Amino acid sequence: MSDFLEVTDVFTHFETPRGQVRAVDGVTFTLERGKTLGIVGESGSGKTILSRTIMGLLPTRGTVRGGTIRYKGEEIQGRAPSEMRDIWGKQMAMIFQDPMSSLNPLMKIGMQIAEPLIHNLDMPKDQALATAKRLLDDVRIPESVKRLNQYPHELSGGMRQRVMIAIALACGPNLLLADEPTTALDVTVQAQILDLLREQRQDRNMSMILVTHDLGVVAGHTDEIAVMYGGKIVEKAPTDGLFKNMLMPYTAALLESIPKMNRPSHTRLTTIPGRPPDLVSPPAGCRFAPRCPAAQERCHSEEPPLSSAGSPGHVYACWYPVGSPVYREAIERRAKETV
Amino acid sequence: MSAITKKRDWPTVLAAAWLIGLTILAFTADYLPFIRGYAESSPEGIGFSKGPFTSFLLGSDQLGRDVFARCIYGAQISLRIALFSIIIGTVVGGTLGMVAGFFGKASDRAISAFTDVMLAFPPIVIAILVTGRFDALRKNSEAFSWLSRTWSITFVLSILAIAPLARIVRAQTLSISQREFVLAARSLGARNGRVLVREILPNLVPAMVSVIFTGVAVLLIAEGGLAFLGYSIELPTPTWGRLIAENRNFIREAWWGTIMPCVMLFATVLSFNVLGDRIARRFDIREAAL
Amino acid sequence: MRYALQRLGQFILVFLVVTFLVMVITRIGSKDPARDLAGGLVAQEQVDEVRELYRLDEPFVVQYGNWIKNLVTLDFGYSYAQNQSVNDMMKQRLLPSFFIGIWAIFIGLLLAVPTAIYSAYRRDGAFDKTMSTTSFAFLSMPPIVIAVLLSFFIGVKLRWFPVDSNYVALWDNPWQHFRNFILPSFTLGLGLSAVWTRLLRADLINTLQSDFIMLARAKGMSPRRILWVHALRASALSLITSIAIQMGGLIGGAVVAEQFFAMPGIGDRLVFAIQQNDLLVVQAITALLAIVVVAVNLLVDLFYAVIDPRIRHARAIK
Amino acid sequence: MAGTGKAHLRSGDALLRVEDLVVEFPVGRTGLKVNAVSGISFDVMRGETLGIVGESGCGKSTTGRGIMQLPSPNSGAVVFNGQDLSQLTGSDMREARTKIQMIFQDPISSLNPRRKVRDIVKEPLDIWKRGTSAEQDARVDKVLEDVGIDPQRAAESQPHQFSGGQCQRISIARSLVLDPSLIICDEPVSALDVSVQAQVLNLLEDLKAAYGLTMIFIAHDLAVVKNISDRVAVMYLGKLCEVATSDDLYRRPAHHYTKVLLDSIPVPDPSRPVAHGRIEGEPPSPVLPPTGCRFHTRCPAASDRCRNEEPQMRDVGDNHFVACHHPAWGGDAPVSITR
């Protein structure tokens, strides 16, 4: 089953006037059928570009792509858009962040859902609209018949996101790429949408890649998490395992910097000093080293490979992971200095 | 490869060079021996027209006058009228637009109604009408004897420039006013005048400059049209439009008399448009329809 | 519907202000409006007749009311200078102007739409770069310059089309009609096509980069469908707005073109009437042209509201 | 949750006391209005941080601006330092405003892009002609250093040359220069990445102590609000729901909306069971808000009384106030919710 989606050494670079931006720089992972992978990272970590690279939805001009992406055993990296059209919608579907700008403002909701059915599956129009109505019911939009004839601006933000999910589900894809699907929504609506995604994924035995900046979102809704930093995956593990045992200092620091509800107010937050690396000229060695509390000389010169943590499926890229003697010593030294 | 290679932007360089050169020539024409005097009479006599690149750079017309010299004098008049008009238009239109966009409410409604009405008039139609009526006014009333064609055309073109400028500035001001730094300035206790001058005006400048350049181009076109229809300034001073109109009847015999001022007008309008366009692109201003 | 009525109210308001201004402007510098309205060099009885007819002894507002009343009943009066009723004159003169405008818009769209679509689709390609330079050049070409060039090269040198293009009705002799209209219409159409090519191209490029186009691609829609169904429909709206914005300029250009190509249209008549001090005709034509501009804007607004559900919705909120 | 009433206002020396604040905006020229803020009251003690939390469109930002009289509220009193700001006009108003300062959400939009950063920070001193030129320079340098921006670089650079986090620091510096007593932070960290967010939150805590500030902190992120605030007010559709100390509010929310909000937050801890208190739907339009309690359309405990009668803010003990007919606890007859 592991040959559902296999991403090996994929990179995506963009030509800009400043030079080549190495937005995604050597990413490898596999995804099984029916599982959810969360990709977490801050802005500029390359998580969105990675999802678009897998989908093949990047502009061709000024883009340098490499590595292999095998979907159900077939190489899809580097395919022309005309070949990708057999996959788009039918095999892979995508959900975007902003439900307002992602729906065509001039087309009725019903037609936007029915469109892929008519043109990808050659369904007659009335049958496609009937299916669209069923899809609206599936994503829990009340008064679905009325909605078919409405335009996007007549719906609330949450409703629009449900419509976008319905569009994604229309042709029965096996892989759903959700790029920050709840970032533009309020928390109460976010919870509804995340529940809906989980339920639909289970009902339809789909795999999902959930891209987000929010560790809280991935914690409850994924099987596995990949943490990205500076265009690379720096740690990847089954969700439970990752939160129990974070090995990459970046992952740990990211979690620590989030204010927690269960801590008393005015708890001092742990911060990550500095800024994310410039991907035109990334630092040598480990890209997190300049901001890492435990960075040693080796970290600045030698790039750590993804190594296994012992527990199944858990890999990390660090010379001195959290808990290692060197790490512990460095942290203690730092704590003394600040006091 | 990371070094930013700056390609020279030739259209901009050429446009700027053309405009600077033309302006210098036009406004120093009276002091230049190879232009001065050639515009009115010809050393070679009346009724003798010569082609370009002979003893005349751009040829001579039916009356033996040097086309190049006349084009340069034409440039002086055309440019002066267009520049005067755009300055008046910008000051009045810009102020109205800023007031409407910044203060809103009644002032906005009044000014918007005003621009709506102004924009209802087809510009050339209203221009010939007003110029024609000013002619009558000058003839019939002693008090308006000063109202020469130069004045009335400048006046008319200024009026025509006000409404589009006011509209653009209003829209820009409105969008800048909604930015949070304007709110921040107010929360610091800045007066309206200070907010307008310090916070809003500097952000208006790129759009204004761009619009001024394209505006001059539009006014040059309008002036050409007016002159062609017979509403140019009094003889003997020619404007480009007048040169085109009066030599057009001899186009079969001496095409240069008409084509050369056409080329001048076109090159100048193009140059202003190029500069306006570059500024708009540089500051990412959406193409505003003037 | 409510929106339409509201816009209609605005239309009437602008109509009243505009016509009032027209009347004020036409009276500037007139020593004796009655004489000017009668057409200058006519007998005193006729002048008095006109004074009576247009109530010129009464306050200005009454004169205006009287004129407006005549205007809405489509009675434009009688031009003594021309010895012709203005209505008859309008009838003769409107059609040539109308055809110049219509053919100019037609040529403009015919050139602009395919060019813009192909330019946007193959952005920064050779075609796009060439056309973008070309359209920029045409954008900077005043109507008189285009008219001179067209008449010189095509009319005088090549002799393909007549330079002095008398009016021939479309239904009398279509071939002659096109021959006569081609130069004046191209004079205006080229400029319009330049404006619209740039506008539609920029708008299409913008639209093609928007999220909903990305979603359409992710749905697996074909490039053709994305372009024609998704992108073009959104961009058509700004094109329609631009047609309304260009109306004033188009009318001005038509006046120049009519003069240049000796087309007996309404603009040509206006220029003559101003020279002749024939105020009645001046007043009527100016008002008419201004109303055309306002009316086209009104129509486009209403049309826009029909096409764009967002506007329809925004207006419909009760 | 349409809480009006003033039971939660404290006696004693409040720096700011807002009573029955109402802010409405016309909807175009339709004659309708947006009921952005519909009669809310609260107070802030000297040195206290009040958090205001709610979803988008609940009126929390409008409240912040209403305090500044930008624009002036339709009605209600804003008593600051014993002076009712809504009664002031002209230069008195401008003078009073300098004692209250705001920090906005969008760090880019809140700085004038066409001025040097140092001039932006100096602007307030320039407006009020405070001190000599040398004193002004010294003050600007000090404040810039306090927020961690190099004054030298600030003198040479424009806002776009700084990162989002740095721009937010510059905004903070500008707000501090006039030595205000109250700072209103309107979503100051929601545009920032979590690692930067932690830096700015820590900075705000530090500056609050160093400059002796009182703070109003407006945000949609409950965890952030909880961390920085002493007291938290929950808003829904232009009304207050609940006011309590931040730890108490989290430990035992009394209002059903607060509960829902807390349950909806994705917690970065996969071992925590997924909360069950989800609600359906989205907030109604503030143009036509529901009668009675504004939350009744989505509330699991809504009764007929809630539909008709607006609940008043009342004390449920321990400095905890709630505007609900049937609160989760502390009510006369607690309603058990069966789901």
Side-chain angles (χ1 to χ4, degrees):
Chain A
M1 278 301 266
S2 74
D3 62 353
F4 178 68
L5 181 72
E6 219 174 319
V7 174
T8 317
D9 221 10
V10 157
F11 62 84
T12 304
H13 298 174
F14 295 107
E15 302 284 1
T16 69
R18 284 178 58 235
Q20 225 177 35
V21 176
R22 303 157 91 165
V24 174
D25 209 10
V27 165
T28 301
F29 67 86
T30 57
L31 178 64
E32 281 173 40
R33 181 81 196 256
K35 296 282 184 192
T36 300
L37 170 72
I39 298 182
V40 192
E42 294 182 280
S43 47
S45 63
K47 56 188 191 302
T48 292
I49 303 296
L50 176 61
S51 68
R52 301 222 166 145
T53 305
I54 295 167
M55 189 79 179
L57 265 183
L58 288 168
T60 41
R61 232 170 340 121
T63 317
V64 185
R65 288 180 289 178
T68 60
I69 299 170
R70 296 176 82 81
Y71 174 75
K72 290 184 173 169
E74 265 181 74
E75 173 64 59
I76 58 166
Q77 167 78 307
R79 274 197 191 176
S82 55
E83 298 170 80
M84 284 305 284
R85 288 222 324 275
D86 296 336
I87 292 176
W88 286 337
K90 282 183 268 185
Q91 297 290 334
M92 296 183 183
M94 200 157 186
I95 300 167
F96 298 100
Q97 172 176 342
D98 185 354
M100 181 72 239
S101 64
S102 300
L103 296 175
N104 187 338
L106 302 179
M107 197 184 266
K108 287 178 181 168
I109 300 291
M111 196 53 206
Q112 298 202 41
I113 303 172
E115 200 183 15
L117 295 168
I118 296 169
H119 293 272
N120 292 346
L121 306 182
D122 295 322
M123 212 183 257
K125 192 177 172 193
D126 48 344
Q127 198 187 334
L129 283 172
T131 313
K133 189 226 163 256
R134 266 204 308 285
L135 282 160
L136 286 179
D137 292 335
D138 285 350
V139 297
R140 306 255 177 72
I141 291 186
E143 301 172 273
S144 52
V145 178
K146 184 178 127 199
R147 305 291 177 189
L148 289 175
N149 282 315
Q150 284 186 319
Y151 289 93
H153 66 267
E154 295 171 79
L155 304 185
S156 65
M159 286 295 171
R160 283 186 213 129
Q161 198 59 298
R162 287 168 192 270
V163 169
M164 195 144 50
I165 294 172
I167 291 173
L169 297 178
C171 296
N174 295 322
L175 174 62
L176 196 59
L177 290 123
D179 182 8
E180 303 263 13
T182 57
T183 306
L185 305 174
D186 277 320
V187 269
T188 54
V189 183
Q190 162 170 293
Q192 299 164 9
I193 295 292
L194 288 172
D195 288 347
L196 175 71
L197 278 175
R198 181 218 305 275
E199 180 192 291
Q200 290 297 324
R201 191 182 59 71
Q202 285 167 351
D203 288 356
R204 292 161 194 260
N205 190 24
M206 286 187 299
S207 301
M208 181 161 82
I209 294 180
L210 179 64
V211 176
T212 173
H213 66 279
D214 191 335
L215 269 173
V217 168
V218 281
H221 296 85
T222 57
D223 301 303
E224 220 182 351
I225 294 175
V227 181
M228 283 191 77
Y229 184 83
K232 290 174 179 291
I233 288 181
V234 293
E235 184 162 12
K236 189 168 94 72
T239 305
D240 289 341
L242 183 80
F243 279 93
K244 270 193 207 111
N245 184 21
M246 291 189 169
L247 290 173
M248 173 69 194
Y250 173 68
T251 317
L254 194 64
L255 183 65
E256 276 307 302
S257 63
I258 304 172
K260 308 287 180 315
M261 287 302 304
N262 53 5
R263 296 204 189 144
S265 59
H266 303 298
T267 305
R268 191 130 187 111
L269 298 168
T270 315
T271 62
I272 308 176
R275 296 163 60 178
D278 177 9
L279 293 179
V280 173
S281 48
C286 172
R287 290 187 179 172
F288 185 59
R291 303 173 74 188
C292 182
Q296 307 295 310
E297 234 168 80
R298 187 183 184 192
C299 302
H300 292 287
S301 55
E302 238 181 294
E303 192 176 328
L306 273 178
S307 39
S308 173
S311 61
H314 193 158
V315 290
Y316 64 97
C318 184
W319 295 121
Y320 310 105
V322 177
S324 68
V326 178
Y327 180 87
R328 222 176 295 151
E329 199 183 305
I331 298 296
E332 272 164 24
R333 194 166 352 107
R334 183 161 289 221
K336 265 183 218 144
E337 277 166 18
T338 47
V339 172
Chain B
M1 89 169 301
S2 62
I4 303 166
T5 46
K6 259 227 160 129
K7 261 202 336 206
R8 181 149 295 165
D9 182 14
W10 283 110
T12 309
V13 174
L14 285 176
W18 169 263
L19 289 182
I20 292 168
L22 185 71
T23 312
I24 291 174
L25 273 183
F27 288 95
T28 56
D30 279 341
Y31 309 98
L32 299 173
F34 57 93
I35 292 178
R36 196 180 159 212
Y38 280 74
E40 273 98 53
S41 63
S42 157
E44 318 219 356
I46 288 174
F48 182 81
S49 65
K50 264 183 148 180
F53 309 111
T54 54
S55 52
F56 299 96
L57 181 61
L58 299 182
S60 65
D61 68 6
Q62 293 301 302
L63 299 175
R65 293 172 300 193
D66 181 12
V67 171
F68 177 69
R70 285 175 65 78
C71 278
I72 293 299
Y73 272 104
Q76 192 188 98
I77 306 294
S78 297
L79 282 177
R80 193 190 287 159
I81 290 177
L83 290 176
F84 259 123
S85 311
I86 201 75
I87 288 169
I88 298 173
T90 309
V91 170
V92 179
T95 312
L96 288 178
M98 272 173 75
V99 167
F102 185 69
F103 294 100
K105 293 182 186 144
S107 67
D108 187 22
R109 276 202 289 281
I111 291 168
S112 295
F114 167 75
T115 52
D116 275 357
V117 168
M118 295 287 282
L119 292 169
F121 292 107
I124 296 247
V125 169
I126 209 68
I128 55 175
L129 174 58
V130 172
T131 319
R133 293 320 304 166
F134 279 0
D135 284 352
L137 186 63
R138 182 177 62 241
K139 244 190 307 185
N140 292 339
S141 164
E142 208 45 43
F144 288 97
S145 57
W146 56 271
L147 192 66
S148 67
R149 275 279 180 84
T150 315
W151 281 115
S152 47
I153 288 170
T154 311
F155 172 79
V156 160
L157 293 182
S158 313
I159 298 289
L160 290 180
I162 288 174
L165 272 157
R167 203 180 237 199
I168 291 165
V169 172
R170 175 188 171 274
Q172 288 273 328
T173 307
L174 204 61
S175 83
I176 297 168
S177 301
Q178 281 155 358
R179 305 272 298 273
E180 281 167 341
F181 64 80
V182 172
L183 198 58
R186 288 184 159 183
S187 76
L188 293 165
R191 291 173 195 276
N192 283 336
R194 191 185 180 95
V195 173
L196 268 172
V197 174
R198 289 279 180 101
E199 311 291 337
I200 291 178
L201 193 58
N203 287 285
L204 276 176
V205 167
M208 295 263 271
V209 173
S210 166
V211 171
I212 285 172
F213 275 110
T214 39
V216 172
V218 171
L219 289 177
L220 280 171
I221 294 176
E223 193 278 327
L226 272 183
F228 176 81
L229 294 173
Y231 293 92
S232 183
I233 65 166
E234 289 84 355
L235 286 169
T237 329
T239 69
W240 284 332
R242 181 174 206 112
L243 285 171
I244 296 169
E246 69 187 19
N247 289 329
R248 158 173 101 89
N249 298 327
F250 308 106
I251 197 163
R252 283 161 219 263
E253 300 84 38
W255 55 265
W256 49 90
T258 295
I259 300 289
M260 290 306 173
C262 275
V263 172
M264 285 263 182
L265 178 56
F266 168 63
T268 310
V269 169
L270 184 64
S271 300
F272 276 112
N273 275 338
V274 165
L275 294 183
D277 177 67
R278 292 306 140 114
I279 293 163
R281 254 195 252 172
R282 168 95 173 63
F283 292 94
D284 196 27
I285 302 159
R286 288 259 248 120
E287 235 165 276
L290 213 154
Chain C
M1 203 53 227
R2 199 190 131 109
Y3 172 63
L5 287 178
Q6 203 179 327
R7 288 292 294 137
L8 202 66
Q10 267 173 20
F11 170 76
I12 291 169
L13 207 70
V14 174
F15 168 81
L16 290 177
V17 178
V18 165
T19 45
F20 187 79
L21 280 176
V22 167
M23 187 147 144
V24 171
I25 294 169
T26 32
R27 294 289 171 83
I28 292 175
S30 181
K31 247 189 198 160
D32 181 0
R35 180 163 287 279
D36 287 340
L37 279 174
L41 298 167
V42 287
Q44 187 60 41
E45 302 97 75
Q46 282 183 338
V47 174
D48 291 337
E49 204 178 298
V50 167
R51 201 186 311 278
E52 184 73 20
L53 185 61
Y54 295 107
R55 304 187 186 184
L56 297 179
D57 289 330
E58 296 186 57
F60 195 75
V61 187
V62 179
Q63 297 177 28
Y64 172 69
N66 186 49
W67 179 54
I68 282 294
K69 204 186 82 205
N70 290 338
L71 207 59
V72 293
T73 53
L74 292 177
D75 171 17
F76 293 99
Y78 189 86
S79 165
Y80 291 91
Q82 295 301 309
N83 232 336
Q84 187 186 25
S85 87
V86 182
N87 287 42
D88 286 346
M89 183 218 78
M90 290 273 196
K91 264 181 219 152
Q92 280 172 18
R93 296 283 182 148
L94 269 177
L95 270 179
S97 300
F98 172 78
F99 275 118
I100 289 189
I102 286 295
W103 292 133
I105 292 175
F106 180 74
I107 290 167
L109 289 176
L110 199 69
L111 294 176
V113 174
T115 313
I117 290 175
Y118 195 73
S119 293
Y121 201 61
R122 294 254 180 274
R123 192 186 166 191
D124 290 337
F127 179 83
D128 181 25
K129 281 190 176 141
T130 318
M131 286 326 285
S132 137
T133 312
T134 314
S135 63
F136 204 83
F138 275 115
L139 195 71
S140 308
M141 235 182 247
I144 37 166
V145 172
I146 301 184
V148 166
L149 297 181
L150 281 180
S151 67
F152 182 57
F153 288 108
I154 295 179
V156 176
K157 289 275 172 197
L158 299 171
R159 297 180 171 279
W160 286 353
F161 300 104
V163 174
D164 283 346
S165 40
N166 277 310
Y167 171 66
V168 177
L170 177 64
W171 36 87
D172 288 346
N173 183 347
W175 170 240
Q176 199 56 39
H177 174 88
F178 285 120
R179 271 177 59 81
N180 287 0
F181 270 101
I182 227 149
L183 288 184
S185 303
F186 255 95
T187 299
L188 303 177
L190 284 176
L192 288 178
S193 78
V195 175
W196 290 336
T197 303
R198 295 176 62 76
L199 184 106
L200 187 57
R201 174 189 173 271
D203 207 273
L204 266 178
I205 285 175
N206 228 327
T207 310
L208 285 172
Q209 284 170 343
S210 60
D211 288 351
F212 73 86
I213 294 294
M214 175 91 87
L215 184 74
R217 292 183 67 196
K219 284 199 285 196
M221 294 298 98
S222 67
R224 190 168 298 169
R225 186 171 170 82
I226 287 174
L227 183 70
W228 291 100
V229 177
H230 290 271
L232 211 55
R233 220 201 288 184
S235 293
L237 291 176
S238 43
L239 192 65
I240 290 165
T241 319
S242 172
I243 294 177
I245 292 173
Q246 296 297 325
M247 213 48 217
L250 179 64
I251 288 176
V255 174
V256 174
E258 283 171 16
Q259 277 278 304
F260 197 101
F261 294 102
M263 181 63 80
I266 202 138
D268 177 64
R269 192 70 191 73
L270 174 67
V271 174
F272 184 68
I274 293 174
Q275 281 163 358
Q276 298 297 306
N277 226 4
D278 191 354
L279 292 196
L280 195 70
V281 175
V282 172
Q283 209 169 283
I285 294 179
T286 316
L288 184 78
L289 294 180
I291 292 164
V292 169
V293 175
V294 183
V296 168
N297 275 284
L298 173 76
L299 286 178
V300 165
D301 265 18
L302 295 178
F303 184 64
Y304 212 102
V306 172
I307 291 250
D308 192 334
R310 286 166 295 186
I311 296 191
R312 216 187 309 153
H313 184 69
R315 314 294 187 202
I317 292 182
K318 290 164 261 147
Chain D
M1 120 146 44
T4 13
K6 297 173 203 167
H8 56 298
L9 295 185
R10 293 162 289 190
S11 55
D13 183 26
L15 177 67
L16 177 78
R17 178 189 278 262
V18 173
E19 289 181 46
D20 298 321
L21 190 75
V22 176
V23 186
E24 290 158 357
F25 303 111
V27 183
R29 283 194 217 163
T30 52
L32 297 172
K33 56 182 203 249
V34 177
N35 299 277
V37 177
S38 306
I40 69 167
S41 308
F42 58 86
D43 55 8
V44 191
M45 295 293 164
R46 262 171 226 285
E48 187 180 52
T49 299
L50 172 73
I52 300 181
V53 74
E55 293 178 282
S56 51
C58 72
K60 54 192 192 302
S61 289
T62 311
T63 303
R65 290 172 191 201
I67 296 169
M68 290 294 281
Q69 312 288 314
L70 286 171
S72 294
N74 296 50
S75 66
V78 177
V79 183
F80 176 75
N81 246 340
Q83 198 177 27
D84 187 351
L85 299 183
S86 59
Q87 302 301 317
L88 298 180
T89 52
S91 60
D92 292 339
M93 181 68 245
R94 295 194 303 116
E95 178 92 48
R97 252 181 215 152
T98 61
K99 287 274 138 200
I100 312 175
Q101 280 304 306
M102 284 192 89
I103 300 164
F104 302 100
Q105 169 173 358
D106 183 352
I108 310 297
S109 166
S110 36
L111 303 176
N112 188 339
R114 307 198 60 78
R115 302 184 71 183
K116 293 278 196 296
V117 163
R118 202 167 190 290
D119 295 336
I120 293 175
V121 178
K122 200 178 169 181
E123 175 77 6
L125 297 172
D126 211 32
I127 294 174
W128 294 100
K129 306 277 178 279
R130 295 262 173 94
T132 63
S133 170
E135 283 166 354
Q136 289 188 357
D137 285 336
R139 174 77 184 163
V140 171
D141 286 349
K142 179 179 185 301
V143 175
L144 277 172
E145 270 161 26
D146 284 351
V147 298
I149 297 285
D150 175 18
Q152 192 62 43
R153 198 176 154 219
E156 293 157 3
S157 319
Q158 290 184 327
H160 65 88
Q161 288 162 291
F162 291 88
S163 69
Q166 285 173 313
C167 282
Q168 206 53 299
R169 288 165 187 267
I170 295 163
S171 286
I172 295 171
R174 172 179 57 194
S175 70
L176 289 177
V177 131
L178 283 178
D179 224 345
S181 31
L182 178 67
I183 299 266
I184 302 172
C185 305
D186 186 1
E187 301 263 14
V189 294
S190 42
L192 307 174
D193 268 324
V194 271
S195 64
V196 183
Q197 163 178 305
Q199 293 170 9
V200 172
L201 289 175
N202 281 350
L203 177 71
L204 281 172
E205 292 269 31
D206 294 343
L207 293 172
K208 191 187 158 202
Y211 285 75
L213 299 169
T214 304
M215 225 155 52
I216 294 179
F217 193 97
I218 299 165
H220 68 275
D221 187 330
L222 249 173
V224 169
V225 171
K226 189 209 170 192
N227 189 282
I228 202 162
S229 312
D230 302 303
R231 205 167 192 242
V232 174
V234 182
M235 277 186 82
Y236 182 83
L237 220 58
K239 299 268 185 186
L240 277 187
C241 302
E242 187 163 8
V243 179
T245 63
S246 64
D247 290 328
D248 202 37
L249 186 84
Y250 171 70
R251 201 165 53 240
R252 38 173 204 166
H255 202 288
H256 299 287
Y257 177 63
T258 314
K259 269 180 83 73
V260 167
L261 212 52
L262 286 169
D263 285 344
S264 302
I265 300 171
V267 180
D269 181 2
S271 59
R272 258 177 55 115
V274 176
H276 49 273
R278 300 276 158 90
I279 48 168
E280 289 301 315
E282 289 165 67
S285 157
V287 176
L288 299 163
T291 55
C293 171
R294 288 195 177 174
F295 186 56
H296 83 247
T297 54
R298 301 169 75 197
C299 184
S303 66
D304 275 344
R305 187 176 171 205
C306 304
R307 278 179 267 281
N308 303 317
E309 186 193 331
E310 185 178 21
Q312 298 290 305
M313 195 62 92
R314 63 198 167 104
D315 192 350
V316 287
D318 282 340
N319 217 352
H320 199 130
F321 301 85
V322 62
C324 179
H325 292 310
H326 317 292
W329 59 272
D332 310 321
V335 170
S336 63
I337 305 148
T338 45
R339 294 202 106 215

